[in-house]
Amino acid sequence: SGPVFATGVLALVLLAASRCAARRHLLGTTVRRVLPPRGHSGESFPVQTNIVPGPFFPAGTTLAFRDPLAPATGGKRIAPTGAGIPVTLRYTGKSAQRGRHRPRFWKLRSTWPLGLFATDLSGPFRDSATLLLRPGPLLPESLLDHLQQLAREAIVNAPEPPDPTADFRLLREFRSGDAVKRIHWPASLRSGRIQVAEPEPPHPKPRRYGLFLHSYEPAGQILTPETFETILRIAAGLLLRFQREEISVLFLHHPGRPVSLTHRGDTARILDHLATCRRHPFRALAPLAAAGRAFRHCDEIFLLSDCPRHEWEKVLRPAFPSPTCIDATSLSGHSRGEIKKRVRLPA
C-alpha cells in the first residue's frame, strides 16, 4: 500500500541522512596533549589532554575517547558542550619502553544521532613536548643493604668538626723552616718565646664513587635484551641515590669517556643518556681493564654488566680499587665480602 511504501522510503531517507551526518559530525576535531618532558619507564606520569570538537559537532553528544598511552582511558565517556569548546581530561599515562616516546593515534567513537552507527575518528596527538622515558630505577635488596652499610661507615668515619672559635688547634714553639706568617704574636709576647699556630689538620676528601657500565660478550654466550634493560635500571637507581646523598660520581659507559657528576644537571644528562643508549658489545677484556686507571681516585666503584659476573670479574677486579661487581641476574657475596648471601632453606 501507499502509506507503507511511503513509511519505508521515509525510513530509508532517515537512515541515509543519519549515516551521512554521523560521518561528518566528528570532522575537524583536534586533540592536544600536555606531557612532562621526562619520565621513567614502567612508572605513571601526569597527562592532560584537550579535545576540541570540530565545526560540525552537535551539542550534547557523548563520545568515547581512547589514548594508547593510558589504556585505562579506553572507552572514557566525555560530553562536549558544543563545537569549538574544548574539553580537558586529566589522567595518568604509563609506558614500559624507555627512550623517546613515539606517539600513537588517539581514537574517538560516537553513536550519534540514532545510536545505530558507530563512527570512529583517529589522528595524531599534538604534544606539548617530546616525552623522554628514562629507565625505571631498580635497586636489588642485597645492593640496597650494601649501600646502607656504606652510608653507616661514612657517618662513623666522619671527621671531627673544626672549632668555630679558633683558626688553629694548638700552639708550639717556632722551628726552623716555619713560615713567619704562622707566628702567633699575642701568645709569643705572653710566653716570651716565639709561638707558632698549628693549623687545622686537613679533612679527609669527600666521598667519590665510580660507576662503570660495560657489555662484555664472550664467545658462545647468549644474552637477551632484558638483561641490558635490567642493568640500565640498576644504574639509574644508583645514580638517583647518589644524587640524593650528594655523592660525587665518576661515570663511564664503555667505550665512552669518563664523566664527573658533581651537579644535578650532570646526573640528569647521564640519565638521559641511559634512556637512549644502545648496547656496545666487546669481545676482549683488556680494553675494559685498562679503563680502571680513570677510577684510581674513587673510594668505591660499582662495575655493572649485562654479562654474567663469572665471565669478567676475575680479570676486572684487580684493575679497579674497591670494586663491587654487579650483573643483571645475581648479586651475592661473590661480588664483595660485605654483601652477604641469602640463606636458602632446604626444600
Side-chain angles (χ1 to χ4, degrees), residues 58-90:
T61 302
T62 302
L63 303 177
F65 171 74
R66 180 179 182 274
D67 183 354
L69 192 59
T73 62
K76 185 176 182 62
R77 311 298 292 185
I78 59 175
T81 57
I85 302 176
V87 177
T88 301
L89 301 178
R90 291 181 176 87

Coordinates of all heavy atoms in Angstrom, one line a residue, residues 58-90:
P58 N 27.6 18.4 17.1 CA 26.3 18.8 17.7 C 26.5 18.8 19.2 O 27.2 18.0 19.8 CB 25.3 17.8 17.3 CG 26.1 16.5 17.0 CD 27.5 17.0 16.6
A59 N 25.8 19.7 19.9 CA 25.9 19.8 21.4 C 25.2 18.7 22.0 O 24.3 18.1 21.5 CB 25.3 21.2 21.8
G60 N 25.8 18.3 23.2 CA 25.2 17.2 24.0 C 25.5 15.8 23.5 O 24.9 14.8 24.0
T61 N 26.4 15.6 22.6 CA 26.8 14.3 22.1 C 27.8 13.7 23.0 O 28.8 14.3 23.4 CB 27.3 14.4 20.6 OG1 26.3 15.0 19.8 CG2 27.6 13.0 20.1
T62 N 27.7 12.4 23.3 CA 28.6 11.7 24.2 C 29.6 10.9 23.3 O 29.2 10.3 22.4 CB 27.9 10.7 25.1 OG1 26.9 11.5 25.9 CG2 28.9 10.0 26.0
L63 N 30.9 11.1 23.7 CA 31.9 10.4 22.9 C 32.7 9.5 23.8 O 32.7 9.7 25.1 CB 32.9 11.5 22.3 CG 32.3 12.6 21.4 CD1 33.4 13.5 21.0 CD2 31.7 11.9 20.2
A64 N 33.4 8.5 23.2 CA 34.3 7.6 23.9 C 35.7 7.9 23.4 O 35.9 7.9 22.2 CB 33.9 6.2 23.7
F65 N 36.6 8.3 24.4 CA 37.9 8.7 24.0 C 38.9 7.6 24.5 O 38.8 7.1 25.5 CB 38.3 10.0 24.6 CG 39.7 10.4 24.5 CD1 40.2 10.9 23.3 CD2 40.6 10.3 25.6 CE1 41.5 11.2 23.1 CE2 41.9 10.7 25.5 CZ 42.4 11.1 24.2
R66 N 39.9 7.4 23.6 CA 41.0 6.4 24.0 C 42.3 7.0 23.6 O 42.6 7.5 22.5 CB 40.8 5.1 23.2 CG 41.8 4.0 23.5 CD 41.6 2.8 22.7 NE 42.5 1.7 23.1 CZ 43.7 1.6 22.5 NH1 44.1 2.4 21.5 NH2 44.6 0.7 22.8
D67 N 43.3 6.9 24.6 CA 44.7 7.3 24.5 C 45.5 6.0 24.7 O 45.5 5.4 25.7 CB 45.0 8.4 25.5 CG 46.5 8.9 25.3 OD1 47.2 8.3 24.5 OD2 46.8 9.8 26.0
P68 N 46.3 5.6 23.6 CA 47.1 4.4 23.8 C 48.2 4.5 24.9 O 48.6 3.5 25.4 CB 47.8 4.3 22.4 CG 46.9 5.0 21.5 CD 46.4 6.2 22.3
L69 N 48.5 5.8 25.3 CA 49.5 5.9 26.4 C 48.9 5.6 27.7 O 49.6 5.3 28.7 CB 50.0 7.4 26.4 CG 51.2 7.7 27.3 CD1 52.4 6.9 26.8 CD2 51.5 9.2 27.2
A70 N 47.5 5.6 27.8 CA 46.9 5.3 29.1 C 45.7 4.3 28.7 O 44.6 4.7 28.4 CB 46.3 6.5 29.7
P71 N 46.0 3.0 28.8 CA 44.9 2.0 28.5 C 43.7 2.2 29.3 O 42.6 1.8 28.9 CB 45.6 0.7 28.7 CG 47.1 1.0 28.6 CD 47.2 2.4 29.1
A72 N 43.8 2.8 30.5 CA 42.7 2.9 31.4 C 41.7 3.9 30.9 O 40.5 3.9 31.3 CB 43.1 3.4 32.8
T73 N 42.1 4.7 29.9 CA 41.1 5.7 29.3 C 40.3 5.1 28.2 O 39.5 5.8 27.6 CB 41.9 6.9 28.7 OG1 42.8 6.5 27.7 CG2 42.7 7.6 29.8
G74 N 40.5 3.8 27.9 CA 39.8 3.2 26.8 C 38.3 3.2 27.1 O 37.8 2.7 28.1
G75 N 37.5 3.9 26.3 CA 36.1 4.0 26.5 C 35.7 5.1 27.5 O 34.5 5.1 27.9
K76 N 36.6 6.0 27.8 CA 36.3 7.1 28.7 C 35.2 8.0 28.1 O 35.4 8.5 27.0 CB 37.5 7.9 29.1 CG 37.3 8.9 30.1 CD 38.5 9.6 30.5 CE 38.3 10.7 31.6 NZ 37.8 10.1 32.8
R77 N 34.1 8.2 28.8 CA 33.0 9.0 28.2 C 33.2 10.4 28.5 O 33.5 10.9 29.6 CB 31.7 8.5 28.9 CG 31.5 7.0 28.9 CD 31.5 6.4 27.5 NE 30.3 6.8 26.8 CZ 30.0 6.3 25.6 NH1 30.8 5.4 25.0 NH2 28.9 6.7 25.0
I78 N 33.0 11.2 27.5 CA 33.1 12.7 27.6 C 31.9 13.3 26.8 O 31.3 12.6 25.9 CB 34.4 13.3 27.0 CG1 34.5 12.9 25.5 CG2 35.6 12.8 27.8 CD1 35.7 13.6 24.9
A79 N 31.4 14.5 27.2 CA 30.3 15.1 26.6 C 30.6 16.6 26.3 O 30.3 17.4 27.2 CB 29.0 15.0 27.4
P80 N 31.2 16.9 25.2 CA 31.5 18.3 24.9 C 30.2 19.1 24.8 O 29.1 18.6 24.4 CB 32.2 18.2 23.5 CG 32.7 16.8 23.5 CD 31.8 16.0 24.2
T81 N 30.3 20.4 25.2 CA 29.1 21.2 25.2 C 28.8 21.8 23.8 O 27.7 22.4 23.6 CB 29.2 22.3 26.2 OG1 30.4 23.1 25.9 CG2 29.3 21.7 27.6
G82 N 29.7 21.8 22.9 CA 29.4 22.4 21.6 C 30.7 22.4 20.7 O 31.8 22.1 21.2
A83 N 30.5 22.8 19.5 CA 31.6 22.9 18.5 C 32.6 24.0 19.0 O 32.2 25.1 19.3 CB 31.1 23.2 17.1
G84 N 33.9 23.6 18.9 CA 35.0 24.6 19.3 C 35.2 24.8 20.7 O 36.1 25.5 21.1
I85 N 34.4 24.1 21.6 CA 34.5 24.3 23.0 C 35.4 23.1 23.6 O 34.9 22.0 23.5 CB 33.2 24.3 23.8 CG1 32.3 25.5 23.2 CG2 33.3 24.5 25.3 CD1 30.9 25.5 23.8
P86 N 36.6 23.4 24.1 CA 37.5 22.3 24.4 C 37.0 21.6 25.7 O 36.4 22.2 26.6 CB 38.8 23.0 24.7 CG 38.5 24.4 25.0 CD 37.2 24.7 24.3
V87 N 37.4 20.3 25.8 CA 37.1 19.5 26.9 C 38.5 19.0 27.5 O 39.3 18.5 26.7 CB 36.2 18.3 26.6 CG1 36.0 17.4 27.8 CG2 34.9 18.8 26.1
T88 N 38.7 19.2 28.7 CA 40.0 18.9 29.3 C 39.9 17.6 30.1 O 39.0 17.5 31.0 CB 40.5 20.0 30.3 OG1 40.7 21.2 29.5 CG2 41.9 19.7 30.9
L89 N 40.8 16.7 29.8 CA 40.9 15.4 30.6 C 42.2 15.3 31.3 O 43.3 15.7 30.7 CB 40.7 14.2 29.6 CG 39.4 14.1 28.8 CD1 39.5 12.9 27.9 CD2 38.2 14.1 29.7
R90 N 42.2 14.8 32.5 CA 43.5 14.6 33.3 C 43.5 13.1 33.7 O 42.5 12.7 34.3 CB 43.5 15.5 34.5 CG 43.7 17.0 34.1 CD 43.8 17.9 35.3 NE 44.1 19.3 35.0 CZ 43.2 20.2 34.6 NH1 41.9 19.8 34.6 NH2 43.5 21.4 34.3

